[in-house]
């Protein structure tokens, strides 16, 4: 039956047309793709959903298969097809729904719904060794607190990789269930922490919205920041309320880097020369110079021509051995400048790994006479913050004199988990350490654990002897990360970012002049 409401010209066109109407439906059937957060590279992706239209809307005037085969087409009344729901879209079951719920975050690593965690479990089983005392040591012990020190020197069994996953923490920890049961008392000391790590890692990949990663704007000049602890800091900086411990751990994992620097340089720093404040007399001298620059007096400056006033150059923060901290979202580092409303910063990331896994974001420029070290400069972040990155060792840049002269009023070095005393990395710092002492500016150092921090301090004292002034006594960082991290090469080794903090500087000698009679 020929439809009476279709003109002849349109009907002929529809029958003979080979064109397909690629209309796309904009509505609730749009595919919602969530970006994930990576913990291995220290990077955090977008936390907001991005809507991409991937479902084509079927044309109502498409021809039947009989016409393409030379048969006679049957014209049926047109019917409106309702849009598909999210659960009916092909291939979007994993990308449109939340992967995990808050009450369903615990899964064995090898049976995790997240492919990245399953790959991580396979990596642990291939590289980590069973910590049972009956196995031979896989390396020499570096101290009594080293986890490998508990292995007997006369053990009877060769080293074996882990393969058994504890039912309580879900992480591969022993080579067999028998060794797990035999050494259960030692494992019980860290089992709860390992379970917390398990749930936190699944939470990052759960697909939920992360309100704890939304940061406040600039601080009012009249407002004061309370740096007693994380709670008072977040409250005085007007962060959105964080009501769960897990969200608090996720938030502090990123904020620990800028806030650790700010808590050391700020005039309201929790570290002072009072009893228990850990700040030494030499430390007060060095920090007073930096604080004078970062907290300048009011000068009556304004936006018009009458308000022009000379201003100090930005304070340079040299972050040596930069790794994951260089790839943090710039919104995280902006929080450092917000803590100093009248101060300016120039962050300089230096290290051979400072641009790892960031080629798609910032391709490395070629080294030219104008840019001999291939520096990447980000100078349009805010009017208070500038970021530069050098994929090079610091001792090479120091010899070239690219940053000289150094000024104790404007410069500071920061070393996040440098591994100064670690046997695998200490040789990389032997040439850099004398150059740091030569500058006579503060060097802030953090450590994963107390043992790691004390090992670095001991190495510095052995290398330079009495040529160093201690500015901040080693101790726990007030603004350490509250989230624990797992070493995939040794599941018994758990730590948290910036657990400890201490500071030193090249020794300064006071010159006295004696009048000759």
């Amino acid at each position: 039956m020929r439809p009476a409401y279709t003109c002849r010209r349109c009907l002929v066109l529809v029958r003979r047309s080979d064109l397909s109407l690629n209309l796309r439906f904009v509505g609730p059937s749009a595919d919602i793709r969530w970006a994930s957060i990576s913990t291995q590279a220290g990077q955090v992706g977008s936390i907001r959903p991005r809507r991409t239209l991937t479902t084509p809307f079927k044309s109502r005037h498409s021809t039947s298969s009989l016409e393409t085969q030379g048969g006679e087409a049957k014209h049926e009344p047109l019917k409106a097809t309702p849009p598909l729901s999210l659960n009916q879209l092909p291939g979007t079951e994993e990308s449109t729904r939340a992967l995990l719920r808050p009450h369903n975050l615990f899964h064995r690593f090898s049976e995790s719904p997240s492919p990245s965690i399953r790959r991580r479990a396979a990596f642990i089983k291939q590289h980590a060794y069973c910590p049972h005392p009956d196995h031979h040591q896989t390396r020499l012990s570096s101290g009594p607190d080293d986890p490998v020190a508990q292995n007997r020197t006369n053990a009877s069994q060769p080293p074996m990789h882990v393969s058994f996953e504890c039912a309580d923490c879900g992480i591969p920890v022993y080579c067999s269930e028998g060794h797990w049961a035999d050494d259960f008392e030692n494992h019980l000391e860290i089992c709860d922490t390992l379970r917390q790590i398990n749930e936190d890692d699944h939470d990052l990949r759960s697909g939920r919205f992360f309100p704890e990663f939304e940061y406040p704007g600039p601080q009012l000049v009249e407002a004061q920041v309370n740096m007693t602890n994380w709670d008072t800091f977040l409250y005085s900086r007007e962060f959105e309320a964080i009501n769960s411990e897990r969200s608090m751990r996720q938030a502090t994992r990123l904020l620990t880097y800028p806030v650790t620097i700010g808590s050391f340089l700020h005039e309201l720093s929790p570290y002072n020369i009072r009893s228990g404040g850990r700040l030494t007399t030499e430390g007060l001298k060095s920090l007073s110079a930096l604080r004078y620059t970062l907290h300048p007096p009011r000068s009556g400056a304004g936006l018009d021509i009458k308000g022009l006033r000379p201003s100090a150059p930005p304070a340079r923060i040299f972050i040596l051995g930069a790794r994951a901290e260089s790839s943090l979202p710039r919104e995280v580092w902006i929080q450092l400048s917000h803590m100093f409303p009248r101060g300016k910063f120039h962050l300089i990331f230096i290290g051979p790994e400072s641009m790892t896994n960031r080629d798609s974001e910032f391709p490395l420029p070629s080294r030219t006479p104008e840019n001999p070290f291939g520096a990447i400069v980000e100078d349009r972040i805010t009017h208070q913050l500038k970021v530069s990155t050098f994929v090079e060792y610091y001792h090479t840049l120091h010899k070239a004199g690219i940053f000289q002269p150094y000024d104790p009023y404007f410069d500071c070095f920061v070393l996040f988990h440098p591994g100064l005393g670690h046997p695998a990395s200490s040789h990389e710092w032997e040439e850099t350490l004398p150059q740091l002492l030569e500058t006579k500016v503060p060097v802030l150092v953090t450590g994963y654990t107390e043992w790691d921090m004390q090992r670095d301090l001991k190495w510095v004292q052995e290398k330079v002897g009495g040529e160093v002034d201690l500015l901040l006594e080693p101790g726990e960082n007030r603004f350490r990360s509250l989230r624990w991290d797992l070493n995939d090469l040794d599941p018994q080794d758990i730590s948290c970012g910036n657990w400890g903090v201490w500071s030193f500087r090249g020794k300064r000698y006071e010159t006295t002049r004696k009048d000759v009679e």
Side-chain angles (χ1 to χ4, degrees):
M1 176 179 173
R2 184 178 300 275
Y5 51 83
T6 305
C7 71
R8 184 175 181 180
R9 181 178 300 179
C10 294
L11 190 59
V12 172
L13 178 63
V14 170
R15 288 182 177 180
R16 296 190 308 177
S17 176
D18 295 332
L19 300 176
S20 60
L21 302 179
N22 293 325
L23 301 178
R24 297 185 182 274
F25 180 76
V26 181
S29 63
D31 181 17
I32 304 176
R33 302 188 181 275
W34 296 84
S36 61
I37 297 180
S38 173
T39 57
Q40 294 295 324
Q43 302 179 358
V44 176
S46 175
I47 57 177
R48 291 186 177 275
R50 297 178 301 187
R51 299 180 181 268
T52 58
L53 307 179
T54 59
T55 306
F57 182 70
K58 186 176 181 181
S59 173
R60 297 186 300 172
H61 297 283
S62 58
T63 58
S64 65
S65 60
L66 292 177
E67 290 182 284
T68 59
Q69 299 174 3
E72 183 179 359
K74 296 182 179 180
H75 300 277
E76 300 178 354
L78 299 178
K79 297 181 180 180
T81 303
L84 297 176
S85 63
L86 289 179
N87 296 329
Q88 296 173 336
L89 289 178
T92 60
E93 288 80 10
E94 294 297 330
S95 60
T96 58
R97 65 177 177 83
L99 184 63
L100 297 170
R101 299 297 179 183
H103 61 278
N104 187 31
L105 293 177
F106 175 75
H107 295 271
R108 294 175 183 263
F109 266 28
S110 60
E111 301 174 359
S112 171
S114 173
S116 61
I117 294 184
R118 294 197 298 269
R119 290 192 296 267
R120 186 180 183 187
F123 180 88
I124 294 176
K125 292 180 179 180
Q126 292 177 1
H127 296 85
Y129 289 94
C130 178
H132 195 275
D134 288 346
H135 293 291
H136 291 294
Q137 294 183 357
T138 57
R139 55 179 174 83
L140 294 177
S141 174
S142 57
D145 297 327
D146 194 343
V148 79
Q150 65 176 349
N151 292 50
R152 304 189 187 104
T153 56
N154 57 349
S156 58
Q157 299 183 16
M160 296 185 65
H161 291 289
V162 297
S163 59
F164 176 77
E165 293 180 337
C166 173
D168 295 326
C169 63
I171 296 177
V173 286
Y174 287 89
C175 64
S176 64
E177 186 177 0
H179 277 186
W180 168 76
D182 187 40
D183 200 39
F184 184 71
E185 291 186 1
N186 290 330
H187 174 68
L188 198 59
E189 297 178 358
I190 61 173
C191 187
D192 291 340
T193 305
L194 290 177
R195 184 184 179 96
Q196 185 183 103
I197 295 173
N198 185 324
E199 295 180 353
D200 288 347
D201 285 347
H202 280 95
D203 178 56
L204 284 179
R205 296 164 175 82
S206 64
R208 70 174 178 91
F209 177 67
F210 292 85
E212 58 268 31
F213 293 149
E214 291 189 339
Y215 303 120
Q219 182 83 4
L220 294 177
V221 179
E222 296 79 7
Q224 298 293 339
V225 181
N226 190 327
M227 295 190 177
T228 304
N229 51 44
W230 275 116
D231 292 330
T232 59
F233 171 78
L234 297 177
Y235 177 78
S236 57
R237 274 288 292 119
E238 298 183 350
F239 276 74
E240 293 293 335
I242 300 178
N243 300 319
S244 67
E245 294 183 359
R246 178 169 291 111
S247 296
M248 189 72 167
R249 292 194 296 267
Q250 306 290 22
T252 57
R253 185 64 182 90
L254 302 184
L255 290 173
T256 179
Y257 292 98
V259 179
T260 295
I261 299 176
S263 65
F264 179 68
L265 301 178
H266 204 277
E267 62 182 359
L268 300 178
S269 170
Y271 310 112
N272 48 64
I273 61 174
R274 292 192 291 268
S275 177
R278 295 168 46 194
L279 190 67
T280 64
T281 305
E282 292 297 325
L284 181 62
K285 295 178 181 178
S286 293
L287 290 182
S288 297
L290 281 169
R291 290 169 181 173
Y292 181 81
T293 302
L294 296 174
H295 299 278
R298 294 179 179 274
S299 59
L303 300 178
D304 54 358
I305 190 66
K306 296 182 179 180
L308 293 179
R309 300 289 188 278
S311 60
R316 298 188 299 179
I317 308 296
F318 299 92
I319 302 178
L320 308 188
R323 297 186 295 274
E325 57 270 19
S326 65
S327 61
L328 286 177
R330 294 307 178 235
E331 291 79 4
V332 177
W333 284 111
I334 289 176
Q335 296 303 308
L336 175 62
S337 62
H338 288 342
M339 296 168 62
F340 301 85
R342 298 196 303 275
K344 297 180 181 179
F345 289 94
H346 182 190
L347 299 180
I348 305 175
F349 297 102
I350 302 174
E353 302 178 22
S354 57
M355 289 296 293
T356 303
N357 299 327
R358 299 182 63 197
D359 294 339
S360 59
E361 181 183 1
F362 290 107
L364 291 179
S366 58
R367 303 197 175 193
T368 61
E370 294 78 12
N371 189 12
F373 296 101
I376 300 175
V377 181
E378 306 170 52
D379 57 353
R380 296 181 181 273
I381 300 177
T382 67
H383 68 282
Q384 289 182 279
L385 181 65
K386 176 182 177 181
V387 178
S388 300
T389 305
F390 292 82
V391 187
E392 187 59 84
Y393 285 102
Y394 172 75
H395 55 76
T396 304
L397 301 175
H398 184 87
K399 292 178 181 178
I402 189 173
F403 300 121
Q404 292 183 357
Y406 296 93
D407 194 323
Y409 280 82
F410 300 102
D411 298 330
C412 177
F413 289 95
V414 179
L415 282 64
F416 290 117
H417 321 112
L420 298 176
H422 196 281
S425 58
S426 59
H427 66 280
E428 297 181 350
W429 294 99
E430 289 185 357
E431 188 175 358
T432 301
L433 182 60
Q435 297 172 347
L436 295 179
L437 301 181
E438 180 185 343
T439 61
K440 307 299 182 183
V441 300
V443 181
L444 182 67
V445 189
T446 67
Y448 285 114
T449 61
E450 183 177 7
W451 178 61
D452 179 45
M453 180 178 56
Q454 293 294 341
R455 181 180 59 184
D456 291 349
L457 175 60
K458 181 180 178 181
W459 183 84
V460 171
Q461 292 175 342
E462 291 177 352
K463 290 297 181 181
V464 298
E467 296 300 320
V468 60
D469 284 331
L470 197 62
L471 306 184
L472 182 66
E473 297 176 357
E476 185 175 356
N477 181 13
R478 295 265 187 120
F479 295 97
R480 70 175 180 86
S481 171
L482 300 181
R483 178 187 166 185
W484 293 92
D485 297 315
L486 176 69
N487 182 2
D488 292 349
L489 299 177
D490 184 6
Q492 308 296 319
D493 182 17
I494 55 177
S495 59
C496 63
N498 301 327
W499 182 91
V501 63
W502 58 288
S503 180
F504 67 94
R505 182 200 64 201
K507 195 172 187 62
R508 302 183 65 179
Y509 295 93
E510 301 292 340
T511 303
T512 57
R513 179 176 299 178
K514 183 178 180 181
D515 295 334
V516 180
E517 296 181 356

